[in-house]
């Protein structure tokens, strides 16, 4: 089989599993069938062999985490199954001690999922939540947070404990680990393939766990196994093996010293280029998040004419983005070349070998994830796509049918039924296909 970097690969912008670097995939493929010349796959080897290959893989990955993140010696680094969803439960189970409530900051879908899981074990207080100021979403300043002295963990003030979900941002910038009681990161973004969750926790907190904490989520049980941590149960060897290669690849690509400073500069440069097009599109693309709290790795936006649409989401992680009525009419009308049509955008992205740009089912629109494994040429390509689809400043959204009975804007702005009532002889679902369109200029 030809090396990955010699084969044609699509650009994967998915929120997870995210794209892995070609060289990392080649390393994984090269070692998977015969690890270190032993005639066996690492997937076939036992984790109980003291000093054996599996324990070496776990130790190397752990050492890389400590080196890259600068993890202090008074913190344990462990690998657990269950992803971030597992840690939604693990956090209260491991940190409540004799408390019965915890403070949470509600920043959206994933913090609400964490809160819902925590409610099984304690009272959840929302001490702060996103608010809209001047048409932008922002997190209130810490001085305005409604913190409780009775909560087990929240902001790091006094003896309070700060816990953070770093799933989407770890390894995109330096982190002051000492600020946190614990942080966790599910693989599938910057860390590697899905199947494992990295946890970094202060050692003096390992005795805070509730008695009923399951062993597979018990931080102390994982941190204190011998001869190395993370052997409380059979570890997810392949995921950790792959994460180790990702971590070593970061050190090769971005330097062994100041690795995350270099990654941060690249991350900010790429994110700034995407946000610049969104912000300068005169409302064609809309991102409502205040610049101070915008994600540098996960960029979400909607099309301007869908700005007021409220989507319904069941909460299932298998849900896909359901088109709005506006988008559905465009699709039925074969308006796939209309810039603001979600399906048209996705169709064009597919033709350009781009994958995973559909937005979150709760919000729709487009989601561009700029994780480390995505090459710069992929970012250049998505920037071209955004420019090609943006309508010129003075152009408006419509492309006018020469029949002068219906414009594509009419078809996409009102229901087909309403248009047919006004124009009984017209066929709006075929208008874009049957009539020669005069497109407005694009950027």
């Amino acid at each position: 089989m030809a090396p990955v970097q010699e084969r044609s690969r699509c650009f994967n912008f998915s929120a997870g599993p995210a794209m892995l670097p070609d060289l990392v995939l080649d390393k994984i493929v090269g070692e998977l069938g015969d690890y270190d010349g032993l005639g066996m796959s690492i997937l076939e080897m036992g984790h109980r062999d003291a000093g054996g290959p599996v324990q070496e893989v776990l130790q190397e990955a752990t050492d890389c985490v400590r080196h890259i993140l600068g993890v202090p010696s008074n913190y344990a680094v462990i690998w657990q199954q269950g992803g971030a969803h597992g840690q939604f439960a693990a956090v209260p189970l491991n940190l409540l001690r004799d408390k019965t409530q915890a403070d949470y900051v509600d920043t959206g879908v994933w913090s609400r999922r964490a809160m819902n899981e925590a409610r099984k074990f304690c009272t959840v207080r929302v001490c702060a939540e996103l608010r809209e100021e001047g048409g932008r979403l922002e997190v209130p300043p810490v001085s305005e947070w409604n913190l409780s002295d009775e909560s087990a963990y929240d902001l790091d003030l006094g003896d309070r404990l700060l816990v953070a979900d770093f799933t989407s941002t770890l390894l995109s910038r330096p982190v002051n680990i000492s600020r946190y009681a614990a942080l966790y990161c599910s693989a599938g973004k910057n860390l590697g393939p899905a199947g494992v969750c990295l946890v970094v926790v202060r050692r003096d907190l390992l005795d805070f766990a509730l008695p009923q904490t399951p062993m597979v989520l018990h931080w102390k049980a994982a941190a204190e196994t011998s001869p190395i941590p993370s052997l409380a149960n059979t570890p997810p060897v392949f995921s950790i093996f792959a994460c180790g290669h990702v971590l070593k690849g970061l050190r090769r690509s971005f330097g062994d010293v100041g690795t995350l400073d270099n990654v941060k500069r690249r991350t900010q440069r790429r994110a700034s280029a995407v946000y610049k097009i969104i912000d300068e599109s005169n409302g064609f693309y809309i991102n409502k998040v205040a610049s101070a709290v915008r994600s540098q790795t996960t960029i979400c936006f909607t099309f301007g004419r869908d700005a007021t649409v409220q989507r319904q989401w069941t909460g299932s992680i298998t849900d896909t983005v359901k088109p709005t009525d506006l988008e559905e009419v465009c699709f039925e009308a074969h308006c796939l070349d209309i810039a603001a049509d979600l399906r048209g955008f996705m169709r064009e992205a597919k033709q350009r070998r781009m994958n995973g740009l559909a937005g979150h089912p709760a919000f729709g629109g487009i989601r561009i994830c700029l994780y480390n494994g995505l090459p710069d040429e992929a970012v250049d390509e998505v920037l071209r796509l955004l420019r090609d689809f943006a309508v010129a400043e003075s152009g408006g959204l419509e492309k006018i049918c020469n029949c002068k009975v219906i414009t594509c804007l009419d078809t996409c702005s009102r229901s087909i039924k309403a248009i047919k009532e006004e124009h009984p002889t017209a066929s709006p679902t075929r208008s874009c296909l049957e009539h020669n369109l005069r497109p407005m200029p694009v950027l």
Side-chain angles (χ1 to χ4, degrees):
M1 182 182 295
V4 171
Q5 63 263 36
E6 294 180 8
R7 301 198 300 272
S8 178
R9 292 245 287 154
C10 73
F11 296 136
N12 180 21
F13 292 88
S14 172
M19 190 170 186
L20 293 171
D22 291 353
L23 289 176
V24 168
L25 287 176
D26 279 334
K27 287 279 188 181
I28 294 171
V29 171
E31 293 182 359
L32 197 56
D34 182 3
Y35 182 78
D36 202 24
L38 297 175
M40 293 174 62
S41 169
I42 190 68
L43 306 185
E44 302 169 291
M45 298 179 185
H47 61 287
R48 298 179 183 87
D49 183 9
V54 170
Q55 291 191 11
E56 286 182 353
V57 164
L58 265 67
Q59 191 62 59
E60 284 184 2
T62 301
D63 290 345
C64 275
V65 169
R66 287 193 174 279
H67 178 84
I68 293 173
L69 290 177
V71 178
S73 59
N74 64 324
Y75 281 75
V77 175
I78 56 178
W79 303 88
Q80 293 201 314
Q81 290 150 314
H85 279 84
Q87 297 307 311
F88 293 164
V91 168
L93 286 168
N94 281 279
L95 291 179
L96 279 173
R97 194 170 46 173
D98 56 352
K99 300 281 189 178
T100 59
Q101 71 178 26
D103 288 347
Y104 279 75
V105 179
D106 182 356
T107 58
V109 169
W110 295 111
S111 58
R112 290 168 198 157
R113 285 200 158 220
M115 288 188 285
N116 286 339
E117 197 68 13
R119 287 189 178 99
K120 298 175 183 178
F121 312 105
C122 66
T123 299
V124 169
R125 293 183 69 257
V126 178
C127 63
E129 58 187 331
L130 283 180
R131 66 186 184 190
E132 188 165 334
E133 292 287 340
R136 295 285 186 182
L137 296 173
E138 62 178 28
V139 179
V142 175
S143 60
E144 297 180 16
W145 291 12
N146 178 26
L147 298 170
S148 169
D149 291 335
E150 300 303 316
S151 292
Y153 51 91
D154 42 43
L155 189 70
D156 190 11
L157 294 174
D159 60 353
R160 293 189 174 99
L161 306 177
L162 176 64
V163 182
D165 180 349
F166 269 83
T167 294
S168 291
T169 60
L170 199 72
L171 302 178
S172 68
R173 56 183 171 83
V175 177
N176 180 6
I177 301 294
S178 297
R179 185 179 176 223
Y180 299 90
L183 60 86
Y184 57 91
C185 169
S186 179
K189 317 286 187 179
N190 279 331
L191 184 57
V196 70
C197 194
L198 174 70
V199 180
V200 181
V201 55
R202 218 169 66 205
R203 293 186 189 277
D204 64 315
L205 305 176
L206 293 175
D207 287 321
F208 280 26
L210 298 177
Q212 65 267 37
T213 304
M215 182 271 292
V216 293
L217 294 178
H218 203 300
W219 293 345
K220 183 175 182 178
E224 296 185 352
T225 59
S226 180
I228 65 170
S230 304
L231 295 178
N233 65 312
T234 304
V237 175
F238 174 76
S239 295
I240 300 173
F241 164 73
C243 288
H245 276 300
V246 169
L247 291 162
K248 287 183 281 189
L250 271 182
R251 295 172 70 171
R252 286 193 303 269
S253 299
F254 293 93
D256 211 34
V257 177
T259 307
L260 294 183
D261 290 312
N262 296 327
V263 172
K264 179 182 178 180
R265 283 189 283 272
R266 181 199 192 213
T267 300
Q268 289 182 330
R269 170 177 54 81
R270 302 195 319 177
S272 294
V274 176
Y275 281 124
K276 179 177 173 60
I277 291 179
I278 294 171
D279 292 342
E280 295 180 358
S281 70
N282 295 303
F284 184 74
Y285 303 125
I286 292 180
N287 175 283
K288 295 181 66 176
V289 181
S291 57
V293 293
R294 278 178 167 176
S295 172
Q296 300 295 292
T297 56
T298 306
I299 300 174
C300 301
F301 64 89
T302 57
F303 298 108
R305 62 182 184 175
D306 273 344
T308 61
V309 170
Q310 297 294 315
R311 295 180 188 262
Q312 299 297 317
W313 181 44
T314 66
S316 170
I317 62 172
T318 60
D319 278 356
T320 56
V321 175
K322 293 179 175 60
T324 62
D325 290 342
L326 186 89
E327 293 162 349
E328 197 64 66
V329 171
C330 284
F331 184 63
E332 291 178 6
H334 301 277
C335 295
L336 294 180
D337 57 345
I338 291 182
D341 176 25
L342 173 64
R343 295 201 187 196
F345 188 99
M346 298 303 296
R347 180 189 184 201
E348 181 63 23
K350 184 176 181 180
Q351 291 175 348
R352 301 186 189 202
R353 299 187 61 75
M354 289 185 279
N355 177 69
L357 287 166
H360 191 280
F363 305 104
I366 300 297
R367 177 169 53 180
I368 300 174
C369 295
L370 304 176
Y371 296 122
N372 292 338
L374 194 74
D376 285 344
E377 53 265 37
V379 181
D380 293 339
E381 188 60 34
V382 82
L383 292 174
R384 281 191 286 270
L385 176 61
L386 290 171
R387 293 190 190 99
D388 289 347
F389 267 75
V391 176
E393 181 176 342
S394 60
L397 293 178
E398 64 264 50
K399 297 184 176 198
I400 301 174
C401 292
N402 289 339
C403 68
K404 298 181 180 179
V405 174
I406 299 172
T407 69
C408 294
L409 180 62
D410 285 333
T411 306
C412 297
S413 299
R414 294 180 287 144
S415 70
I416 293 174
K417 180 180 178 181
I419 294 175
K420 284 185 174 180
E421 287 176 352
E422 292 180 19
H423 306 282
T425 61
S427 179
T429 61
R430 302 289 295 174
S431 60
C432 293
L433 188 66
E434 294 175 348
H435 299 290
N436 180 30
L437 303 182
R438 175 167 58 81
M440 306 304 295
V442 295
L443 293 176

